[in-house]
Amino acid sequence: MKRVNVVLSNLIQNGRVIVDIPGVEHIERAFQAESVHLLNDVERVVYSDEMCDGEKIAFLEKLLAET
């Protein structure tokens, strides 16, 4: 999915694709909600007593690579 995002962003930046998003005024709220969700996941892992440091790092690396 990350590759698709890169290709689409390049096409949009180069003006080869035009994106029309109905309700674009609500997009900021959607990004904020996603950011809050990601930060909650990070916080949960960082403060977890059930995971060792290596497990936390591996989980966070995977989590952040998906974004």
Side-chain angles (χ1 to χ4, degrees):
M1 189 57 142
K2 192 171 186 177
R3 175 78 176 139
V4 171
N5 290 342
V6 170
V7 170
L8 285 175
S9 70
N10 286 335
L11 290 172
I12 292 167
Q13 288 174 354
N14 294 329
R16 289 186 249 158
V17 172
I18 297 172
V19 178
D20 181 23
I21 303 172
V24 73
E25 62 276 1
H26 303 292
I27 200 164
E28 182 178 357
R29 195 173 323 135
F31 278 111
Q32 287 175 341
E34 181 61 29
S35 296
V36 168
H37 178 71
L38 177 63
L39 288 173
N40 284 334
D41 287 347
V42 170
E43 179 183 35
R44 180 177 47 83
V45 170
V46 168
Y47 291 108
S48 173
D49 291 332
E50 299 170 1
M51 300 171 79
C52 70
D53 290 343
E55 291 172 319
K56 291 178 182 181
I57 292 169
F59 184 89
L60 292 172
E61 285 176 340
K62 181 181 177 200
L63 179 68
L64 296 175
E66 294 172 356
T67 60

